[in-house]
Amino acid sequence: MPSKKLKIQIMSPNLLEKDDLVLGEQLIKQWRIPVNHPLQLVFGSFQQTVRVVPLARFDGIRVSQELAEKMGVLARSVLRLTFRPHSSTLQLGPLIGVLISRDLPGSLERPFGPITMFCKELVNACQHQGVYVYFFTPDHIGTSSSNLSAWVYGDGWKQIQVPAADVFYNRLTSRKLENKPSVQHFLKEVKSRYRSHFFNEKFLDKTEVFDALGRDAAVSRYLPESHLFRNFLTLKTMCAKHPVVFLKPIRGSLGKGIIRISKLEGGSYQTLTAQVGGTRRQVYPSLAKLYSSLSGKMKTTRYQIQQGLTLIQADRRPVDFRALVQKNRAGKWNVTSIVARTAGSQHFVSNLARGGSLSTVKEAIGRSSLPAGIKGKIALRLRKAALDIAQGVDVQIPAHFGELGIDLALDSSGRIWLLEVNSKPSKNDNTPIGGNKIRPSVKQVVEYARYLSGF
């Protein structure tokens, strides 16, 4: 049965029986909806028996104020309706719940800090497609999974009670919050009790990703040699094989704490460590001395040790690429965007948080010293690599992802390498967008949620 977008009208008390639902006569005839007959109304985890009342020349839905409050629906919301005759069910939706790290109830202009613009853009995309969205934090999760307090947008941001959603989108930016027992319990409960879908359900760590993708023949060719950094022998073996190796915190992000190790003439070793203000350089007379300086850090941080790559450069600075790969309205991976990132002058990592700059793939490749014959094919090859890797993650890692940030590199011969896979690509308000413009990346999130919900 198809779904139809309809505007919700909320009737003042006494104008409509609390369990009545008014629909247009034409729609009732077209879908053969029984009138004056009890039907189940479903909206996320909310269910109630209602009676359908026909109205001539009407193209919307009217509900009582009491019913609207129980559902957590605001006036003038545009929602999709579908009728399932076999179960005598009218289903409204889809309903999306976005789980975010924190809110600022005292700041109604920016209740979600640096991701407020992204959240508002998601609201606009949902209204456009007839989807209802709310935002909640781990603190909003109470004892009942069927009902929670959340933020919605009407004439401004407000908090109301809402049912559990058809689809949940995990935007938590902290592993500590994600691993809270209340969050994990909620996730299990909504999946088993309401068959809710929950995507981007967990953080990825570097060891897990490289070990999993190493088992996938279609993807292993993109992987630099990479191991969990356990002891001096691992360091000695990797440094004997590769002129440069990197140590990356397995749970790090934004380029924090990455250490580049290289051998100098005369047998000494140099480390470069990525820090906020720039790069810290240290020299050690031997590998053993270097290792003993790291052993303190290894007590608190687990590292992945990775083969160093000779990356292409633009204006004598290393360049890598961030692909945003998302599932679409058919549930299939596609590449939404790929940008080139050039390292800042004081850094060897390209993250924007470390002074890196963005450009198009074409511009960065054009400024690089790659052979001219290779340059024209790079964009297509990067897209293929990003899709291969996303599909590899789906097959090899037992978790549900709907979008991934995939960091790729090109070496000086034009070979593509995987640097990292990020299951929580940044949504901070650092991309200026005008008015009610909706970026493809935001539209895609809504379309995938519709696919999952069956609307």
Side-chain angles (χ1 to χ4, degrees), residues 311-319 342 364-365 367-370 410:
L311 300 194
I312 62 161
Q313 297 194 334
D315 309 326
R316 294 209 296 262
R317 295 178 190 177
V319 176
T342 305
I365 297 296
R367 298 205 315 271
S368 77
S369 55
L370 275 174
L410 276 172

Short mmCIF file of all heavy atoms in Angstrom, two decimals, residues 311-319 342 364-365 367-370 410:
data_model
loop_
_atom_site.label_atom_id
_atom_site.label_comp_id
_atom_site.label_asym_id
_atom_site.label_seq_id
_atom_site.Cartn_x
_atom_site.Cartn_y
_atom_site.Cartn_z
N LEU A 311 52.54 9.90 0.63
CA LEU A 311 51.31 10.46 0.06
C LEU A 311 51.63 11.48 -1.03
O LEU A 311 52.68 12.13 -1.00
CB LEU A 311 50.49 11.17 1.14
CG LEU A 311 50.02 10.36 2.34
CD1 LEU A 311 48.95 11.13 3.11
CD2 LEU A 311 49.46 9.02 1.92
N ILE A 312 50.68 11.63 -1.95
CA ILE A 312 50.83 12.71 -2.92
C ILE A 312 50.80 14.04 -2.17
O ILE A 312 50.22 14.13 -1.07
CB ILE A 312 49.74 12.69 -4.02
CG1 ILE A 312 48.34 12.87 -3.41
CG2 ILE A 312 49.81 11.44 -4.85
CD1 ILE A 312 47.29 13.29 -4.43
N GLN A 313 51.40 15.06 -2.77
CA GLN A 313 51.45 16.37 -2.12
C GLN A 313 50.89 17.44 -3.05
O GLN A 313 50.96 17.31 -4.27
CB GLN A 313 52.90 16.73 -1.75
CG GLN A 313 53.50 15.77 -0.73
CD GLN A 313 54.79 16.31 -0.14
OE1 GLN A 313 55.49 17.11 -0.76
NE2 GLN A 313 55.09 15.89 1.07
N ALA A 314 50.31 18.47 -2.44
CA ALA A 314 49.91 19.67 -3.19
C ALA A 314 50.62 20.81 -2.47
O ALA A 314 50.50 20.95 -1.25
CB ALA A 314 48.41 19.84 -3.14
N ASP A 315 51.38 21.60 -3.22
CA ASP A 315 52.17 22.70 -2.63
C ASP A 315 53.04 22.18 -1.47
O ASP A 315 53.12 22.78 -0.40
CB ASP A 315 51.25 23.83 -2.11
CG ASP A 315 50.26 24.28 -3.18
OD1 ASP A 315 50.64 24.27 -4.36
OD2 ASP A 315 49.11 24.63 -2.82
N ARG A 316 53.65 21.03 -1.71
CA ARG A 316 54.60 20.39 -0.76
C ARG A 316 53.95 20.02 0.59
O ARG A 316 54.62 19.92 1.60
CB ARG A 316 55.83 21.29 -0.53
CG ARG A 316 56.70 21.44 -1.78
CD ARG A 316 58.14 21.67 -1.42
NE ARG A 316 58.31 22.92 -0.70
CZ ARG A 316 58.70 24.05 -1.26
NH1 ARG A 316 58.98 24.09 -2.54
NH2 ARG A 316 58.84 25.14 -0.55
N ARG A 317 52.64 19.83 0.59
CA ARG A 317 51.95 19.37 1.81
C ARG A 317 51.17 18.10 1.49
O ARG A 317 50.53 18.02 0.44
CB ARG A 317 50.96 20.44 2.31
CG ARG A 317 51.67 21.71 2.75
CD ARG A 317 50.67 22.75 3.18
NE ARG A 317 51.30 24.04 3.38
CZ ARG A 317 50.64 25.13 3.71
NH1 ARG A 317 49.34 25.09 3.87
NH2 ARG A 317 51.28 26.27 3.88
N PRO A 318 51.18 17.12 2.42
CA PRO A 318 50.47 15.87 2.14
C PRO A 318 48.96 16.07 1.98
O PRO A 318 48.36 16.91 2.66
CB PRO A 318 50.78 14.98 3.34
CG PRO A 318 51.46 15.83 4.35
CD PRO A 318 51.88 17.10 3.70
N VAL A 319 48.38 15.28 1.08
CA VAL A 319 46.94 15.36 0.79
C VAL A 319 46.31 14.00 1.04
O VAL A 319 46.89 12.97 0.69
CB VAL A 319 46.72 15.72 -0.70
CG1 VAL A 319 45.23 15.72 -1.05
CG2 VAL A 319 47.32 17.08 -1.02
N THR A 342 44.21 18.96 2.60
CA THR A 342 45.65 19.23 2.55
C THR A 342 46.11 19.62 3.94
O THR A 342 45.48 20.45 4.60
CB THR A 342 45.93 20.37 1.55
OG1 THR A 342 45.35 20.01 0.29
CG2 THR A 342 47.42 20.61 1.38
N ALA A 364 43.01 19.30 -6.04
CA ALA A 364 44.16 18.71 -5.35
C ALA A 364 44.97 17.84 -6.30
O ALA A 364 46.20 17.89 -6.31
CB ALA A 364 43.68 17.90 -4.15
N ILE A 365 44.28 17.03 -7.12
CA ILE A 365 44.99 16.15 -8.07
C ILE A 365 45.74 17.00 -9.09
O ILE A 365 46.88 16.71 -9.47
CB ILE A 365 43.99 15.20 -8.79
CG1 ILE A 365 43.29 14.27 -7.80
CG2 ILE A 365 44.68 14.39 -9.87
CD1 ILE A 365 44.18 13.30 -7.07
N ARG A 367 47.05 19.90 -8.65
CA ARG A 367 48.24 20.53 -8.06
C ARG A 367 49.31 19.51 -7.65
O ARG A 367 50.38 19.87 -7.22
CB ARG A 367 47.86 21.37 -6.83
CG ARG A 367 46.92 22.52 -7.12
CD ARG A 367 47.03 23.65 -6.10
NE ARG A 367 47.09 23.21 -4.73
CZ ARG A 367 46.03 23.01 -3.94
NH1 ARG A 367 44.82 23.22 -4.42
NH2 ARG A 367 46.16 22.63 -2.69
N SER A 368 48.97 18.21 -7.78
CA SER A 368 49.91 17.17 -7.33
C SER A 368 50.89 16.82 -8.45
O SER A 368 50.72 17.23 -9.60
CB SER A 368 49.14 15.91 -6.94
OG SER A 368 48.74 15.21 -8.10
N SER A 369 51.92 16.02 -8.09
CA SER A 369 52.94 15.65 -9.09
C SER A 369 52.66 14.27 -9.69
O SER A 369 53.55 13.63 -10.23
CB SER A 369 54.31 15.64 -8.42
OG SER A 369 54.27 14.78 -7.29
N LEU A 370 51.40 13.81 -9.57
CA LEU A 370 51.04 12.52 -10.17
C LEU A 370 51.23 12.57 -11.69
O LEU A 370 51.01 13.63 -12.30
CB LEU A 370 49.57 12.19 -9.89
CG LEU A 370 49.23 11.52 -8.57
CD1 LEU A 370 47.71 11.44 -8.44
CD2 LEU A 370 49.83 10.13 -8.46
N LEU A 410 46.39 8.54 -1.48
CA LEU A 410 47.00 8.12 -2.75
C LEU A 410 48.50 8.20 -2.56
O LEU A 410 49.00 9.23 -2.07
CB LEU A 410 46.63 9.11 -3.85
CG LEU A 410 45.32 8.96 -4.59
CD1 LEU A 410 45.12 10.17 -5.49
CD2 LEU A 410 45.31 7.70 -5.43
#
